[in-house]
Amino acid sequence: MSFTWNRKDLLSLYDLRPEEITYLLDTAEEFKKVSQRKVKKVPALRGKTVVNFFVEPSTRTRVSFELAEQRLSADIINMSASVSSLTKGETLLDTVKNIEALQVDLVVMRHSATGAQNFIAKHLKCGVINAGDGAHSHPTQALLDIFTIREKKGRIEGLKVAIVGDILHSRVARSNIWGLLKLGASVTLVGPATLVPKEFEQVGVRVCHNLQEGLADADVVNLLRIQHERQAAGFFPSINEYARFFGINEHTVKFMKPDAMVMHPGPINRGVELEGSIADGPQSVILEQVTNGLAVRMAVLFLVAGCVQK
Amino acid sequence: MEKKALLFDSDATSAAIARIADAVVHDFKTGELEDFAFVGIYENGVPLAERLAVEVEKRCGYHPVAAKLDISMYRDDVGMRSGLPLIRETVIPFEMNAAKVVLVDDVLSSGRTIRAALDAVTDYGRPALIYLAVLVDRGRTEYPIHADYAGLTAPEVSPKRKIRVEFAEDGSCEVHTVDWGRKHRTA
């Protein structure tokens, strides 16, 4: 009860102590209830200005953040790379310094370069929330995944989580790995050796190149989207071959325990990493992840804004 | 070090809670207001509301709901404090529209908590009326907010001292004065 949040930025789950992650999840539980009420809005961030700066395009994460900000009564500015002066040759730091000079309180940023948010957070007095950087970190996605697991399974500690797909290029996977390990889950990464290199074992996870083996004892199966451009780059021979060896379908779903949950951060390639009937089936929690994402982002905004000293 | 001094002992607070219960029963049950609910504001308003509900039942056989309200999302000082407390679960197990509500808190000081609580309660619906019951009224609110039921008054306590109510496991409570923490700034 005496624990208080004191970070002005949320950059990566790697930085957080386990009790801070738990505190965020507990806070999100109360914010989830706000969205279930008739009046779905609270004045927590009234008078605060939040800039959504998406240098790398995003639809679902941006919409989720924007709605979370509105439900907290914040004032919002949306910027994308194409409407910013980055296209005129301004540096990233100059752009965000100019944003900060307008007395904004928080910057929610997505960037294709790893560490971009860590870099600007050092130079800004306002708070910075990472909405995804390169293949590095996407803390709110991992928090909503972990929130959903905790809600369904009642705990994180001792659970076995399999993450299947393109781990190599995935910030969702990295953030999940850090968060889950800190809270005491064990993690198995599943996919072809080109996308799931053995080196990941060094952080304390199991690496498995066989789907049946990887899913056998999993309580949770988190599937990542297979991007078509990875095939052109030679990471696997064809989409069909990937689907046959690593996709979840009516046949391979039998490798899973009957009570294992199926998760996916979206957007789904139906028929590639996940068959439509499984995505829409009883084991899937995919739409609940979207609902929980809103609650988790409200909690993150509330806690981070609460620590930006003016 | 905070110098802690006893302001009211558990006999004094028990008598005060009895007085509030008497007054509430007089207004609502023997009066014409009838059914109502207590809404306790975290932290100490919650055990106080529960104790008041028991006292009301002893007097008239009617056990009012003791709801729980967290007002963290409604405060007007987000970003002015060094950290945020954990948000507790708001439990309002009744229809707020047309309900009669007695807000319960331990200490009425500036009135800012109550202002936030009024916003929070009215987001759940449009109550028929809202009264305010407090264990200790400092008699120096900064907003036009006043208690309908005040068990004890403490206008003599210096603004430099914080009034702290401590509930024991058995529901009894004592009131102390302590120094404000280092980070407190007045108005």
Side-chain angles (χ1 to χ4, degrees), chain A residues 192-251:
Chain A
T194 47
L195 296 175
V196 189
K198 277 279 180 199
E199 282 74 11
F200 274 99
E201 286 176 347
Q202 292 170 21
V203 300
V205 299
R206 185 164 75 108
V207 167
C208 187
H209 302 309
N210 176 290
L211 186 66
Q212 184 163 10
E213 219 175 281
L215 299 186
D217 61 351
D219 301 297
V220 178
V221 179
N222 199 348
L223 302 161
L224 303 179
R225 190 168 75 98
I226 287 298
Q227 291 172 288
H228 292 262
E229 56 266 33
R230 303 291 179 220
Q231 185 217 339
F235 286 98
F236 48 89
S238 77
I239 291 287
N240 280 342
E241 185 175 317
Y242 180 87
R244 182 169 311 153
F245 283 96
F246 293 101
I248 303 293
N249 52 43
E250 297 291 354
H251 169 65

Side-chain angles (χ1 to χ4, degrees), chain B residues 147-164:
Chain B
D148 300 284
Y149 311 102
L152 299 158
T153 55
E156 72 286 0
V157 174
S158 158
K160 289 177 183 155
R161 302 279 286 173
K162 180 183 168 70
I163 294 183
R164 193 159 76 194

Side-chain angles (χ1 to χ4, degrees), chain A residues 23 30 33 37 44 48 309, chain B residues 73-74 81 84 89 124:
Chain A
Y23 181 73
E30 296 311 312
K33 292 174 193 153
R37 303 189 329 205
K48 304 269 179 205
Q309 301 285 328
Chain B
M73 298 175 199
Y74 292 84
R81 290 172 296 161
L84 294 165
E89 186 179 16
Y124 285 88

Side-chain angles (χ1 to χ4, degrees), chain A residues 1 3-6 23 26-27 30-31 33-34 37-39 41-46 48 302-303 305-310, chain B residues 43 72-90 95 97 115 119-120 122-125 185:
Chain A
M1 219 38 121
F3 180 81
T4 50
W5 180 267
N6 56 7
Y23 181 73
D26 291 346
T27 304
E30 296 311 312
F31 278 107
K33 292 174 193 153
V34 171
R37 303 189 329 205
K38 278 183 214 150
V39 178
K41 193 166 175 131
V42 292
L45 296 194
R46 190 167 50 195
K48 304 269 179 205
F302 176 72
L303 292 176
C307 290
V308 179
Q309 301 285 328
K310 280 280 170 180
Chain B
E43 288 280 329
S72 308
M73 298 175 199
Y74 292 84
R75 295 197 63 104
D76 55 9
D77 57 358
V78 170
M80 288 166 66
R81 290 172 296 161
S82 55
L84 294 165
L86 181 64
I87 300 178
R88 277 71 41 98
E89 186 179 16
T90 291
E95 172 61 44
N97 283 315
R115 184 214 58 79
D119 278 355
T122 49
D123 270 4
Y124 285 88
R185 21 184 151 166

Side-chain angles (χ1 to χ4, degrees), chain B residues 109-129:
Chain B
S109 190
S110 69
R112 289 168 202 268
T113 300
I114 306 305
R115 184 214 58 79
L118 290 171
D119 278 355
V121 163
T122 49
D123 270 4
Y124 285 88
R126 185 175 184 275
L129 66 83

